[in-house]
């Protein structure tokens, strides 16, 4: 995969995607968003990948938001289209049939915070700062922030973060509940890889269906969510992986899952 603003590396079953515009603190302009969408379309058919890590290039930022400079002079129609374009890219990331870990190495502001919120797990460097500062620009979060943040931490905490536009430390975000772990900067990628390797060693179809159950089930009434969970569970009994997992347990060996 060849991109102008993204770097992609794959080791075994774990892919790492780096947003690479360090001169603009990895801000999301139209090129990055187009490339993210194109990356998402390509990675869907990569049968080898079991976990994706997303991080930012350089020491300072994960993603410092949408590219503010490129917003100058936009018409209302263009602004809505820009918002929808980002939402489409982030929706694809959220719907990947494998977990996505955000390794937040620095500023995750505006669209950067919203990108992290589209990921399944957020690991943050001690130096990371999160925020939805759109209101400081006379704007509102429009890459999913007003929808994913309250679902992640509750309406009252989300309102404070969105209405104030303040930056929050990684530790504060862990307390709010959307950062899983705060890690020393030099250890962040190692820890993300360790977690990715653990997840990648589990039954890939089981992990994918667990993700589906978590992501879509929690939007349903609990009765429907439970029904969906049971159906997804049943579908796993059509896979070779479930035979392998159960046989490995009985034979007291490690399973060798093929994702089938
Ligand atoms: N967009 C464009 N360029 C940026 C951005 C950005 N979001 N953030 C930083 N940069 C650029 C700076 O302009 C600067 O470039 P240059 O050297 O050419 O002047 C370079 O990156 C380095 O930045 P700073 O010199 O500012 O670095 P500091 O360490 O002094 O400050 C900060 C770092 C605090 C992160 C600061 O850069 C900042 O506040 N950035 C903006 C953060 C922000 O407000 N993000 C939210 C943007 S809005 C959004 O994401 C969602 C709304 C989308 C609406 C779109 C609808 C059309």
């Amino acid at each position: 995969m060849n991109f102008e603003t993204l770097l992609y590396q794959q080791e075994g079953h774990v892919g790492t995607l780096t947003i690479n515009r360090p001169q603009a603190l990895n801000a999301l302009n139209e090129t990055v968003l187009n490339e993210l969408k194109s990356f998402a379309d390509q990675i869907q058919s990569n049968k080898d990948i079991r976990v994706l890590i997303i991080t930012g290039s350089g020491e300072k930022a994960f993603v410092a938001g949408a590219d503010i400079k490129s917003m100058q002079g936009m018409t209302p129609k263009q602004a809505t289209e820009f918002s929808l374009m980002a939402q489409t890219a982030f929706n694809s990331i959220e719907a990947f049939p494998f977990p996505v870990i955000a390794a937040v190495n620095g500023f995750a502001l505006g669209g950067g915070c919203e990108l992290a919120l589209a990921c399944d797990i957020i690991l943050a460097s001690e130096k990371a700062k999160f925020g939805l500062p759109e209101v400081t620009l006379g704007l509102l979060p429009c890459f999913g922030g007003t929808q994913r943040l309250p679902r992640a931490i509750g309406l009252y905490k989300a309102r404070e973060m969105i209405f104030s536009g303040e930056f929050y430390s990684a530790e504060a975000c862990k307390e709010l509940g959307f950062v899983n772990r705060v890690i020393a900067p030099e250890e962040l990628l190692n820890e993300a890889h360790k977690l990715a390797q653990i997840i990648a060693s589990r039954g890939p179809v089981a992990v994918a269906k667990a993700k589906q159950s978590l992501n879509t089930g929690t939007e349903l009434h609990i009765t429907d969510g439970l029904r969906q969970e049971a159906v997804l569970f049943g579908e796993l009994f059509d896979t070779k992986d479930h035979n392998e997992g159960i046989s490995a347990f009985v034979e007291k060996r490690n399973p060798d899952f093929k994702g089938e």
Side-chain angles (χ1 to χ4, degrees), residues 21-28 60-61 63-71 74-75 78-83 107 109-114 131-134 136-137 139-143 167:
R21 281 189 79 214
Q23 72 286 3
L25 303 189
N26 304 318
L28 305 171
K60 217 165 157 181
V63 167
D67 192 305
I68 298 172
K69 293 166 189 168
S70 71
M71 286 180 224
M74 272 187 184
T75 64
Q78 285 168 330
T80 299
E81 276 163 6
F82 192 62
S83 161
F107 289 111
L109 303 173
C113 185
E114 291 166 302
L132 291 171
E134 283 83 348
T136 68
L137 300 164
L139 299 171
L140 66 84
C142 67
F143 293 179
F167 293 178

